[in-house]
Amino acid sequence: MAEETKKIEKAPDRLKVLERIDEYERKGWWSKDVEDDPETIPLKPEQVDYLNKKLINKILSKIVNKKAYDFIENLIKNGQLIIKDVHGIENFTKLANQGTLITCNHFNAFDNFAIHHIVLPYLHKEKRDLYKVIREGNYTNFPGLYGLFFRHCNTLPLSANFSTMKKFLGAVDILLKRGEKILSYAEQGMWWNYRKPRPLTNGAFNLAVKSDVPVLPMFITMTDSDKIGSDGFPIQEYTVHILEPIYPDPAKTKKENIEFMRDKNYEMWKKVYEDFYGIPLTYLTENDVSNN
């Protein structure tokens, strides 16, 4: 009986991350990483084939995407990824065959998997896949299965290297203009199980305005399930909210559009947060919260 009732200890690394999130929220370091990631290995332009022009990368992409699909379905089957509900799928389907920049709050490696699971059946009807903007270190640092996912599952790694970023921007423009869907985390750093929307950076909206495509905001809310994960914390049940697309305004300048779309996206997320959790959005920080 003692074995059955014994509680799983909360993982020290997760407790440390939660403490760091509180600290960063107080200081207003909204886009800063809270995880203890290794130092990023720089990505050179010749190391990445954004558009899968090489035959070997086309083949690897097909194989690894199938493995990723099976991996995600297995997580759902085993209760490690719980998608409780989806609201607003019509906002996604009405953008069929239209280049779109998707934004989502970033709080877990699995938030990407949840979106992937929901939208892929619709994209496959169009003979398309979901592309994902990822951080440089995710592409260059990870070995094993996750490394394959990060390098061959239609990923678009950012880079501190100027030449690589030039190649990245060109590829993103081509993809959006040919009608692809690209997921980008406008908050940047992942804050584990953080439920609030964070002020957004300009990057994702700059890409949308540059290619003259809409932004489709998604926001995932969470509730504790009755299952405890291996980290000692309740596994979260996700409700995915797919909101109305935001279009660039032809009457605005590029700078005005970036700010308009960014601020509109944040306000839409804020409303979902307040409506779902039934509380006003407040932060620990005493500093002015602004997207500027």
Side-chain angles (χ1 to χ4, degrees), residues 21-220:
I21 287 172
D22 281 352
E23 176 194 355
Y24 287 12
E25 184 179 326
R26 289 181 190 281
K27 293 178 177 177
W29 294 346
W30 300 111
S31 59
K32 195 171 178 179
D33 285 329
V34 297
E35 301 288 339
D36 289 318
D37 293 322
E39 186 175 348
T40 297
I41 300 170
L43 178 63
K44 297 176 182 178
E46 63 272 16
Q47 293 175 307
V48 59
D49 180 16
Y50 287 107
L51 300 175
N52 281 336
K53 291 182 178 180
K54 296 177 181 177
L55 179 59
I56 182 62
N57 290 328
K58 288 181 181 178
I59 294 169
L60 282 170
S61 178
K62 286 187 177 181
I63 295 170
V64 178
N65 269 296
K66 176 62 170 62
K67 286 187 176 295
Y69 178 83
D70 293 341
F71 179 79
I72 293 168
E73 294 306 302
N74 195 51
L75 288 175
I76 293 171
K77 181 181 177 182
N78 294 335
Q80 295 168 275
L81 171 59
I82 304 172
I83 302 171
K84 186 177 181 180
D85 208 351
V86 180
H87 300 302
I89 191 64
E90 68 278 2
N91 291 321
F92 179 82
T93 57
K94 70 184 178 184
L95 295 172
N97 292 305
Q98 183 174 352
T100 306
L101 202 297
I102 299 170
T103 61
C104 186
N105 51 322
H106 195 21
F107 56 88
N108 197 294
F110 287 6
D111 54 41
N112 166 19
F113 295 163
I115 292 173
H116 195 273
H117 171 79
I118 291 163
V119 305
L120 213 59
Y122 299 97
L123 289 175
H124 281 178
K125 289 178 183 177
E126 304 169 28
K127 301 190 184 308
R128 299 184 186 279
D129 280 298
L130 177 67
Y131 289 80
K132 287 82 70 176
V133 176
I134 64 171
R135 59 188 289 274
E136 185 172 35
N138 286 353
Y139 191 89
T140 57
N141 286 37
F142 278 84
L145 183 63
Y146 276 101
L148 285 172
F149 289 170
F150 281 130
R151 287 188 292 278
H152 297 290
C153 282
N154 307 107
T155 52
L156 305 168
L158 298 162
S159 178
N161 181 291
F162 176 81
S163 296
T164 310
M165 273 306 291
K166 187 177 179 182
K167 190 175 180 181
F168 165 87
L169 292 171
V172 167
D173 189 50
I174 288 170
L175 291 168
L176 289 173
K177 285 179 176 174
R178 81 180 190 198
E180 305 291 353
K181 303 292 189 289
I182 298 178
L183 170 64
S184 180
Y185 291 111
E187 295 171 322
Q188 290 192 5
M190 184 186 83
W191 284 19
W192 185 73
N193 282 0
Y194 186 76
R195 296 186 174 187
K196 304 174 189 178
R198 288 179 275 151
L200 308 177
T201 59
N202 287 345
F205 307 97
N206 181 52
L207 297 176
V209 172
K210 180 174 179 287
S211 298
D212 193 28
V213 299
V215 166
L216 183 66
M218 297 189 185
F219 190 79
I220 301 177

